[in-house]
Amino acid sequence: MDYNQLHYFIVTAETGHLTHASEKLSLSQSALSRSIAALEAELGLPLFDRKNRSIQLNQVGKVFLADAKEIQLRWLAAQEKIQTLANPNFGEVTVSFVPTLGLSFMPQLLKKFQQNYPTNTLRLKEAPAQQVLKDVLTNASNIGISTVRDKQADLEYIPLFTEKFVLIMSKENKLVTKNDITLQDIAEEEFIHFAENTYSREVVEHALKQAKVDLKVRYDGLEISSILGLVEANMGISIVPKTAILDFERLEIFPIETPKIERTIYLVHAANGYISSATKRFIQFTENKMNS
C-alpha cells in the first residue's frame, strides 16, 4: 500500500464513479481500476460494490475510508513538518544550556539571533552539563551549549570561548579593601558553593585543592542566581565563571591568578544524522558571533 493508492481510493469513494474519478485524478480509467484492485487484494476484502461504471462503497469500504482519510491527513502533516525542517526561515531550534550561562551570555546570543532571524522559534532548557549532552544525544534538544567533561563520539564539539572564574563578594565584605586577594585569604570566609555534580563545582574544588585551601561552606548545593543573591546580601563569598556576573554591578569582583581557574564552553550538536536548516543557521550564527 502506498500514498497514491490511498489517494486514488479516497477520490473514487467520494465521486462514486470510475470515469469521474479518473478525470479528476488525470489518470486513465484502467490504471485507476488496477490501483483499486491491488489495494483490495492487499487488504483481502472488496471495498466497492460495482455496477457497470458506477461503484459504491460497501460496509468494509466505509470503515476503511475513515481510516484512509486519517492516514492521508497524517501524511500531509508529516510532509509539512519535513518542509519546515528544510526551510531555515520557519524552523524551530531547541537549545539546552548550563544555568551559569543564563544570566548574560545566552540572553545576549539569543537576542542577537532573534533580531536577525525573527521568524525562527527558539525553545530553551536549562540543565546541568551532563544533562545538556544527554538532551542532544536523545534528540530532546538540537543544540547544547555547555562545559564538557568527557567527549562522546556521537557528538560534535565546537569550542566557543574559554573563560576564567573570579572571586566575588559583597561591597560590605571586609576583604574588599585588600589590593590583592589570594585563595589563602578566603580560607576563613564563609563560602557559598555550587550544587554537587556540576562542572563549576568540580573546577572550583580542584583549584582549592591545588592551593591547599579548605572551604568553610555556609550554603551548599545552589544554582548561580541564588549564589549571586546570597553574596550580594553579604552572606558569604563565592567563586563563579566570569560570564555569570558580567552585568552584575552590585558585587566586588577579584581575579584569581594562582592557580588558574577556567572552563571552556562548547556548542554541541549531533555528529551524525539529519540537522535541520534552522539548526544549521543557529550553529553558523553562533560561530560567526564568537569569531567577530
Side-chain angles (χ1 to χ4, degrees):
M1 184 188 305
D2 59 32
Y3 176 78
N4 284 336
Q5 283 181 312
L6 280 179
H7 181 56
Y8 296 164
F9 163 71
I10 291 169
V11 172
T12 303
E14 289 178 339
T15 58
H17 201 284
L18 280 174
T19 302
H20 296 163
S22 63
E23 290 173 353
K24 190 172 183 178
L25 293 167
S26 299
L27 191 70
S28 70
Q29 187 171 321
S30 59
L32 177 58
S33 296
R34 286 196 299 272
S35 176
I36 292 175
L39 178 61
E40 290 176 320
E42 186 173 347
L43 293 173
L45 290 169
L47 300 171
F48 294 96
D49 292 330
R50 291 165 172 81
K51 296 179 181 179
N52 298 322
R53 294 183 182 276
S54 178
I55 57 176
Q56 186 175 6
L57 281 175
N58 59 25
Q59 189 60 38
V60 174
K62 290 177 181 179
V63 172
F64 184 68
L65 178 60
D67 291 334
K69 286 183 175 181
E70 184 177 347
I71 293 170
Q72 185 182 53
L73 286 174
R74 290 185 178 182
W75 173 258
L76 294 173
Q79 278 189 318
E80 185 176 345
K81 286 182 180 179
I82 294 298
Q83 290 167 1
T84 298
L85 287 174
N87 187 339
N89 293 318
F90 298 99
E92 177 180 290
V93 183
T94 303
V95 184
S96 288
F97 59 93
V98 290
T100 49
L101 296 175
L103 294 173
S104 179
F105 175 75
M106 288 303 298
Q108 292 176 12
L109 174 66
L110 299 173
K111 180 180 179 180
K112 290 291 186 182
F113 182 81
Q114 293 279 226
Q115 286 174 341
N116 283 271
Y117 306 109
T119 57
N120 285 122
T121 300
L122 294 175
R123 299 195 181 278
L124 309 174
K125 178 182 177 182
E126 286 187 323
Q130 288 299 99
Q131 183 61 47
V132 169
L133 299 185
K134 184 178 179 181
D135 286 347
V136 180
L137 280 170
T138 59
N139 294 319
S141 293
N142 309 117
I143 296 292
I145 299 183
S146 176
T147 54
V148 175
R149 286 189 181 95
D150 302 307
K151 293 185 178 180
Q152 302 186 42
D154 292 333
L155 297 177
E156 181 98 12
Y157 302 86
I158 301 171
L160 298 180
F161 62 93
T162 297
E163 67 170 336
K164 293 183 177 180
F165 281 62
V166 293
L167 174 66
I168 60 171
M169 63 185 67
S170 165
K171 293 181 180 293
E172 300 174 8
N173 191 289
K174 62 182 182 297
L175 289 179
V176 297
T177 58
K178 287 181 65 71
N179 292 326
D180 296 310
I181 299 179
T182 67
L183 291 183
Q184 284 71 25
D185 292 326
I186 70 170
E188 296 304 315
E189 293 292 314
E190 293 183 326
F191 196 84
I192 301 172
H193 216 340
F194 283 99
E196 291 186 5
N197 300 318
T198 59
Y199 187 77
S200 293
R201 183 183 180 111
E202 288 184 10
V203 170
V204 171
E205 290 191 342
H206 178 71
L208 291 168
K209 185 177 181 179
Q210 280 186 300
K212 298 181 180 179
V213 174
D214 292 326
L215 291 174
K216 185 181 176 182
V217 178
R218 180 172 185 179
Y219 296 103
D220 193 9
L222 299 171
E223 296 294 346
I224 186 63
S225 57
S226 297
I227 290 173
L228 296 179
L230 288 168
V231 172
E232 184 188 2
N234 201 25
M235 302 297 287
I237 65 172
S238 192
I239 297 174
V240 300
K242 193 172 182 179
T243 53
I245 41 83
L246 284 179
D247 299 322
F248 214 95
E249 299 177 354
R250 301 186 299 276
L251 296 173
E252 290 291 338
I253 303 166
F254 297 90
I256 301 170
E257 302 300 338
T258 306
K260 182 169 63 175
I261 312 178
E262 62 183 21
R263 66 176 183 174
T264 299
I265 300 298
Y266 294 85
L267 184 150
V268 185
H269 64 82
N272 305 300
Y274 179 76
I275 299 177
S276 72
S277 297
T279 300
K280 290 178 181 177
R281 166 182 280 178
F282 186 88
I283 294 170
Q284 189 64 56
F285 175 85
T286 304
E287 286 191 274
N288 291 342
K289 186 176 186 301
M290 301 311 300
N291 294 328
S292 62

